[in-house]
């Protein structure tokens, strides 16, 4: 090398050493204010660190505010009016120096490839994630994403989009999270042929973590497999988004997210969560029922029933039959509705779906017998009480008998309706739900009255010489009308 070249190298080395010394020792060493730390990064010759730190440290105080504008939020599909959205706040000064030093150390290092800067970004993204400041974590993930897009590294772009989606999900921004997963899936689907010709490279591995080695798996990266995984993740987040919309009263938004969730489940292939798929069919069927779209509601509940049969969800099968019975009844198919309910409530159905329920009934009868002879009304021990699973099973069957009773009443089969409401009352009485028990008692009273009204009128009008006297005697002594 020439003398001039050696002199330039020495000057560069001196500048780096001076920058580090200036940052850590010379520039306001005892001043941890935002202004002092920002100046320290700038004087050290690290403009990128200065920009990043200033943005992080001054959020919300009017100086370099990084609060998202309405246009930026719309572009990123983030609802800043959502209850769970957290407005970016000023970075606490207790760890401001640590953040500034990580940024400066990465930039002053002799690293033309920028590996140190990326590692610093991963470190700070993980740091802010653990602090619960997801907005700042997303800031560093987005920087990695932008670098990947700039150099055309599709594999790394997909990885960073999935990281961003997971961070948005942790933030509660389900719409933005689903959008990131969907984009990742679209990229992978377009590049799926690259798996065949080996563009991804045998040494590449899948990594959805923060870029650290411990989160890297030994499975070779595959665009096709990552597309399926991203679709499955998108479906999960879309279901959460639908539930969030219901909480806000946005039924149209919930239905839209459920439709997209079903589509994502279909695209997920082997990665599909069949339990989630089944639940989506059910919720969307209920939503279509509220819109009086009975044909679609019946189809969706039928799909829910099939999905429950695949995964072995016995209670889900019963719920599906009840929901489909309601939709069929509203559409005018009374026979199909009653068939659904009988399939759920028949003895062979109870043998298949309600073994736990049968054991629970027997145990309750023993408990009631014990309490009836006990003077001090001993408390039911915790191991004798119904489990939540048993309570749900009891309640579902009780509702089924109620629905069947109302259907029979509507078509004039009053005696059959009374039998159904007897069973409704029997189950409601042991569920522990007082409101359900009162409802069952009302339905049972109406059903019994309807079943015996003709007999009562015949007894009063035709079989009594003095019906008024007989009625007064019954009212006075409180005996059964037929005994009076």
């Amino acid at each position: 090398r020439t003398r001039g070249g050696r002199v330039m190298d020495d000057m560069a080395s001196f500048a780096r050493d001076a920058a580090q010394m200036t940052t850590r020792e010379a520039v306001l060493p005892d001043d941890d204010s935002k202004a002092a730390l920002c100046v320290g990064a700038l004087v050290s010759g690290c403009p990128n660190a200065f920009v990043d730190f200033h943005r992080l440290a001054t959020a919300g105080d009017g100086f370099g505010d990084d609060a998202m504008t309405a246009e930026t939020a719309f572009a990123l599909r983030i609802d800043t009016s959502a209850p769970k959205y957290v407005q970016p706040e000023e970075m606490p000064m207790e760890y401001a120096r640590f953040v500034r030093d990580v940024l400066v150390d990465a930039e002053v290092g002799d690293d033309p490839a920028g590996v140190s800067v990326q590692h610093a970004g991963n470190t700070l993204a993980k740091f802010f994630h653990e602090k619960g400041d997801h907005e700042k974590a997303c800031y560093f993930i987005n920087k990695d994403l932008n670098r990947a897009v700039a150099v055309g590294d599709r594999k790394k772009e997909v990885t960073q989009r999935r990281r961003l989606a997971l961070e948005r999900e942790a933030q509660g921004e389900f719409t933005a999270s689903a959008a990131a997963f969907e984009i990742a899936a679209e990229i992978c689907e377009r590049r799926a042929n690259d798996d065949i010709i080996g563009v991804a490279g045998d040494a590449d591995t899948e990594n959805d973590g923060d870029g650290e080695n411990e989160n890297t798996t030994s499975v070779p990266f595959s665009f096709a497999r990552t597309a399926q995984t991203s679709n499955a993740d998108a479906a999960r987040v879309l279901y959460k988004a639908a539930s969030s919309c219901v909480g806000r009263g946005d039924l149209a938004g919930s239905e839209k997210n459920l439709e997209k969730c079903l589509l994502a489940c279909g695209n997920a292939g082997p990665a599909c969560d069949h339990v989630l798929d089944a639940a989506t069919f059910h919720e969307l069927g209920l939503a279509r029922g509220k819109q009086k779209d009975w044909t679609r509601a019946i189809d969706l509940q039928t799909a829910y029933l099939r999905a429950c049969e695949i995964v072995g969800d016995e209670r889900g099968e019963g719920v599906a039959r009840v929901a489909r019975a309601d939709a069929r009844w509203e559409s005018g198919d009374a026979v199909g509705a009653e068939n659904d309910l009988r399939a759920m409530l028949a003895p062979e159905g109870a043998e298949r779906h309600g073994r736990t329920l049968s054991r629970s009934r027997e145990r309750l009868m023993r408990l009631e017998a014990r309490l009836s002879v006990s003077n001090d009304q001993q408390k039911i021990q915790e191991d004798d009480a119904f489990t939540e699973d048993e309570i749900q099973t009891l309640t579902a069957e009780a509702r089924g008998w109620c629905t069947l009773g109302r259907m029979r009443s509507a078509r004039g089969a009053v005696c059959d309706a009374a039998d159904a409401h007897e069973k409704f009352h029997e189950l409601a009485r042991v569920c522990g739900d007082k409101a359900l028990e009162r409802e069952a008692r009302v339905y049972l009273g109406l059903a019994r009255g309807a079943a015996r009204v003709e007999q009562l009128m015949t007894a009063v009008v035709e079989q009594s010489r003095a019906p008024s006297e007989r009625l007064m005697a019954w009212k006075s002594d409180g005996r059964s009308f037929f005994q009076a």
Side-chain angles (χ1 to χ4, degrees), residues 251-285:
L251 299 183
S254 174
E255 188 172 341
K256 180 180 177 181
N257 283 316
L258 288 172
E259 293 280 10
K260 293 173 69 177
C261 179
L262 275 184
L263 180 61
C265 285
N267 294 333
C272 175
D273 183 346
H274 293 292
V275 175
L276 175 65
D277 193 25
T280 305
F281 278 123
H282 178 57
E283 294 296 335
L284 188 55

Side-chain angles (χ1 to χ4, degrees), residues 196-210:
I196 301 174
I197 61 178
V199 170
D202 294 337
D204 289 339
T205 54
E206 294 183 0
N207 180 7
D208 289 336
D210 58 1

Side-chain angles (χ1 to χ4, degrees), residues 135-181:
E135 197 64 41
K136 291 183 175 64
C138 288
Y139 172 74
F140 288 102
I141 297 173
N142 271 313
K143 288 173 72 69
D144 282 344
L145 174 60
N146 292 336
R147 280 192 290 266
V149 172
V151 300
D153 187 342
R154 289 299 190 183
K155 171 186 168 295
K156 187 171 183 181
E157 179 185 351
V158 168
T159 301
Q160 296 306 322
R161 288 193 185 279
R162 288 181 53 78
R163 285 184 63 201
L164 180 63
L166 292 170
E167 194 67 41
R168 289 299 186 193
E169 182 183 3
Q171 187 182 15
E173 287 296 331
F174 303 126
T175 303
S177 175
F181 277 128

Side-chain angles (χ1 to χ4, degrees), residues 26-43:
V27 179
L28 304 175
D30 298 325
D31 190 349
D32 280 339
S33 66
K34 291 185 297 181
L37 293 171
C38 282
V39 169
L42 188 59
V43 172

